[in-house]
Amino acid sequence: MGWTLWALESLLAVAAAWALSTALLRERPTLERWMGALLFGAASLLTCVQGLGLIGQLGRPQLAAVGLLLHGGLLAFAVRRVGRAELRSRLRSDVGAPLRLLRDIRQRQELAAWALLPAACAVIVSCSIIWHFPNWAWDVVWYHVPKTNYAVQTGSISWVETSVWYVNGYPELTELLSVWNVLLPRHTRLDDLSQVPFGVLGALAVAAWCRRASASPALSASLGAMWLALPAVALQLHTSHADAVAGSLFITAFYFLTERDWRLSARTLTLLAMGLYAGTKVSGLFHLALLSPLLLARGAGVLWRAKGARGRVLGQTALALLLLLWLGAPTYVENVARTGNPFWPARMRVLGHQLEGPIRAEDITGPPAFFGSPGAFRRMVEAWTAPEGMYWPDVRERAFGWLFPYLLLPALLWVSAFGVFSRERFLRLSLPLLAGLSVLVPAAWWGRFTLGLPAAGLVALAVLHRQLRTRYLQVPLSAAAAFLCVASFAKAAVGYQVLPTMGRRAVAGLRDEDRVRARMGWLWPPHAARLREEELKPGDVVAYDSATTFLGEYWTLDLRNRVEFVNHDGADDVYLDKLRALKPRWVSVGRDSPAERLLLDRAPVFERLFDCPSSGAVMYRVTRDDW
């Protein structure tokens, strides 16, 4: 029943987003309509989850009802606006677009199209990993998954009491979209699905930008696929990290912002993408501030040209700004209300004001932005050009493979150097601006934080490809790009650490999940995960203290239990009273801590189960309620 509900609701959401994009972006190219559909879909799902979460009504029946009403209403609006006949016509055209692309590739004999294979492989492998395996990525199990699970458990998206600082205060678009995929089926199997559509969005944005640069459909699609196949993108699609989401939204927002005429639809999509970006990562708010002068300048230009229609333009802009605030501001507003620091939990100094928090900004992101620490720029360049890449447990060195340092960076430098002398200087000079803004973030050496940089290089490659004019030079350039893309993806495939655990079982009864758990040092061992699923009943409480690190492991797969933070702060009686009030089934405490000594003193009641890997926590079972 749950999976049927999720499938029907998700299908309705997809149909509504596509129909709305078709209705509002009728004059736009196919790529831009698809980009609009993905933005509208993300915004509508976030509206459902966030709206219910803010009022504490985030339950399964409520989410299904609100999703039905909102998406049904959007679909009805689109049908009324353009009619069923045009929607059917557009649908036939969109379904036939891949076939038209393949014909264009064959007709042009575009060798760069080999990049479509690793891009497709990245999506297929990611979906397979999402379906077959539990969460296993480091940061995901640590704090991304708990954000989703707490929202389902509490029925709200407010702060929770916890020792994992990152659970509170971080923007959470990716995790709230995961709520849709978890709460409706009431299972965590698809909680890592959120990033896959945004990987496609980033590829579409790069392809659309290449088309703007007059590249052929075949070459544009190929270069978009190269962005999707980058190690920093491909290797995190199967997780609920936020970087592929943030990168694709930044590229998309910048694409629409740099449209020459900046029509109403482009203005709306710019602010929509920036709102989603700000709601995904703190860097979204940072880039919004950096882009605000350009946004104001472009808005002033539109207002100047509007003349007699300035009132209507101001009204449209106000509505778009409200949409941006709704999508991007709630986390920062709550942070300010609770702590006075919009960037909680990072402690930093901004414009002469000290913002308090439990963690230094440098402890979260490393070197400050704008290359504020000695050697930061050199470290970034060394990470791009390292002889070998570190692809597991996270994408760090050589995050863009061989493609960026050996081909995209030279193309970007060439196009940027001569852009001022070109008739299309507006397009060409926007590329170094995108690249520069992309690296103006903390820890820029970490490639997954700067995904706009290779996007700028790919568009520059499209410009260079056209400048060469003769196929005798264009064909070798396409071949080189395809080779470096495919080779980089093949080299980075070692990052798919779970793949060697799939397949025939050497030992009867040993599941793929068990082999993954045996391979990952921070996940609970197989016997502990089995015991969790077998023993914990609906409503059972698992208590934990500040020794806990990978909190995502404390919930069952269907989230039927509750997880509560109870810390020993010095008073034994207070700690025990808190435990008695919760009546926990399991209790996790720090090894050799005062809390564990209390449990050991009551040995018949508290039975030791297992040590939690990669942390100082030990799990105990409560054998009686009358202790």
Side-chain angles (χ1 to χ4, degrees):
M1 176 62 184
W3 290 110
T4 302
L5 177 64
W6 172 83
L8 293 176
E9 289 274 0
S10 299
L11 183 62
L12 178 61
V14 170
W18 174 83
L20 184 64
S21 179
T22 299
L24 298 181
L25 308 175
R26 299 168 69 180
E27 307 305 321
R28 290 277 178 175
T30 301
L31 285 174
E32 294 186 7
R33 287 192 295 103
W34 290 355
M35 292 161 64
L38 288 167
L39 292 176
F40 292 146
S44 67
L45 294 183
L46 178 63
T47 295
C48 293
V49 175
Q50 183 169 268
L52 291 170
L54 287 174
I55 61 175
Q57 296 296 317
L58 187 55
R60 190 185 192 186
Q62 298 94 318
L63 183 59
V66 169
L68 180 63
L69 290 174
L70 177 61
H71 297 130
L74 293 176
L75 183 59
F77 168 80
V79 171
R80 183 173 182 179
R81 185 179 178 94
V82 299
R84 292 186 178 89
E86 182 169 343
L87 286 177
R88 283 195 295 267
S89 175
R90 292 281 191 173
L91 180 61
R92 286 193 296 269
S93 176
D94 286 357
V95 169
L99 292 176
R100 295 195 299 272
L101 174 62
L102 291 177
R103 283 198 296 267
D104 189 65
I105 290 172
R106 191 172 76 171
Q107 179 183 353
R108 297 177 185 275
Q109 297 182 336
E110 180 56 68
L111 294 180
W114 285 104
L116 293 168
L117 294 180
C121 184
V123 173
I124 294 170
V125 170
S126 294
C127 291
S128 179
I129 290 174
I130 290 166
W131 180 258
H132 287 99
F133 296 104
N135 293 287
W136 60 270
W138 180 283
D139 285 357
V140 172
V141 184
W142 183 8
Y143 62 89
H144 288 283
V145 164
K147 290 168 75 70
T148 297
N149 293 357
Y150 265 128
V152 174
Q153 173 179 307
T154 64
S156 71
I157 57 173
S158 184
W159 281 28
V160 296
E161 190 175 1
T162 180
S163 58
V164 182
W165 294 111
Y166 306 100
V167 170
N168 294 319
Y170 267 25
E172 50 192 3
L173 167 70
T174 309
E175 294 85 356
L176 292 184
L177 294 181
S178 292
V179 170
W180 176 274
N181 296 325
V182 168
L183 185 54
L184 291 178
R186 199 68 193 189
H187 200 282
T188 58
R189 183 184 287 273
L190 297 181
D191 59 355
D192 277 337
L193 188 61
S194 299
Q195 286 210 112
V196 173
F198 290 94
V200 176
L201 174 64
L204 292 175
V206 172
W209 216 327
C210 293
R211 290 291 289 151
R212 182 185 288 176
S214 301
S216 68
L219 180 62
S220 298
S222 303
L223 295 177
M226 289 181 191
W227 186 86
L228 183 57
L230 292 171
V233 179
L235 293 181
Q236 67 160 292
L237 282 184
H238 60 272
T239 74
S240 53
H241 282 98
D243 303 297
V245 177
S248 66
L249 288 171
F250 183 43
I251 297 165
T252 301
F254 204 83
Y255 169 80
F256 287 114
L257 176 60
T258 54
E259 180 186 88
R260 180 169 292 277
D261 296 331
W262 214 39
R263 290 168 289 174
L264 171 62
S265 56
R267 298 196 299 271
T268 303
L269 292 171
T270 299
L271 296 179
L272 174 59
M274 285 305 304
L276 291 169
Y277 180 24
T280 302
K281 292 194 71 172
V282 174
S283 59
L285 186 63
F286 180 63
H287 278 136
L288 180 60
L290 290 178
L291 284 172
S292 57
L294 181 57
L295 284 165
L296 290 173
R298 300 231 65 188
V302 170
L303 197 60
W304 175 263
R305 294 191 301 271
K307 296 183 179 179
R310 287 173 182 168
R312 181 165 54 88
V313 170
L314 287 173
Q316 294 165 345
T317 303
L319 289 175
L321 286 173
L322 286 176
L323 182 61
L324 181 151
L325 291 173
W326 164 248
L327 297 174
T331 296
Y332 306 105
V333 171
E334 183 175 20
N335 289 351
V336 171
R338 290 180 177 272
T339 70
N341 178 4
F343 307 110
W344 181 271
R347 182 172 66 251
M348 63 181 71
R349 194 170 185 82
V350 178
L351 300 177
H353 297 280
Q354 181 65 37
L355 301 177
E356 298 301 327
I359 308 173
R360 296 187 309 160
E362 295 79 13
D363 294 336
I364 298 176
T365 59
F370 299 105
F371 306 99
S373 64
F377 186 83
R378 185 184 70 252
R379 186 182 187 188
M380 180 181 71
V381 175
E382 289 174 350
W384 294 345
T385 58
E388 293 292 333
M390 181 178 176
Y391 297 122
W392 180 82
D394 214 335
V395 184
R396 298 183 185 179
E397 292 84 4
R398 202 179 279 279
F400 309 138
W402 290 299
L403 183 63
F404 179 77
Y406 298 145
L407 191 58
L408 302 187
L409 181 57
L412 179 60
L413 293 175
W414 175 269
V415 170
S416 302
F418 296 98
V420 71
F421 305 110
S422 171
R423 293 180 179 178
E424 52 182 21
R425 65 177 62 90
F426 187 84
L427 166 68
R428 296 197 188 184
L429 294 181
S430 66
L431 301 180
L433 180 59
L434 172 62
L437 288 172
S438 296
V439 300
L440 291 182
V441 294
W445 65 273
W446 213 325
R448 63 187 177 95
F449 297 158
T450 60
L451 295 177
L453 178 64
L458 287 163
V459 181
L461 185 64
V463 174
L464 179 61
H465 190 277
R466 191 188 72 234
Q467 283 183 317
L468 294 179
R469 298 183 181 277
T470 173
R471 283 187 57 81
Y472 292 107
L473 296 176
Q474 290 175 339
V475 169
L477 183 62
S478 294
F483 172 77
L484 293 173
C485 172
V486 175
S488 296
F489 181 79
K491 180 70 174 178
V494 66
Y496 291 121
Q497 282 289 309
V498 296
L499 292 184
T501 67
M502 294 180 70
R504 298 182 61 183
R505 295 158 176 77
V507 179
L510 186 65
R511 303 172 300 171
D512 291 341
E513 177 182 337
D514 296 336
R515 289 192 282 182
V516 168
R517 291 186 173 279
R519 189 181 186 91
M520 305 302 170
W522 53 86
L523 297 180
W524 284 7
H527 73 274
R530 287 175 185 264
L531 189 63
R532 179 192 65 198
E533 300 302 321
E534 293 169 358
E535 186 165 313
L536 295 179
K537 302 296 187 290
D540 280 352
V541 173
V542 178
Y544 70 97
D545 64 9
S546 57
T548 298
T549 302
F550 295 98
L551 184 56
E553 288 284 80
Y554 283 60
W555 280 270
T556 60
L557 293 177
D558 60 1
L559 303 185
R560 62 180 176 270
N561 66 305
R562 291 169 48 216
V563 177
E564 302 287 350
F565 175 68
V566 183
N567 206 41
H568 188 291
D569 295 321
D572 291 351
D573 292 342
V574 172
Y575 175 72
L576 291 175
D577 287 344
K578 289 180 179 179
L579 283 184
R580 291 191 183 101
L582 287 173
K583 297 181 179 179
R585 179 64 170 155
W586 287 7
V587 179
S588 174
V589 295
R591 190 180 299 110
D592 300 325
S593 67
E596 185 180 31
R597 287 193 288 274
L598 283 176
L599 302 190
L600 291 175
D601 289 343
R602 293 156 177 78
V605 175
F606 295 96
E607 177 186 353
R608 184 175 179 135
L609 292 178
F610 55 87
D611 290 358
C612 299
S614 298
S615 73
V618 182
M619 187 65 72
Y620 284 81
R621 174 195 289 133
V622 182
T623 60
R624 297 203 319 262
D625 293 332
D626 58 342
W627 57 278

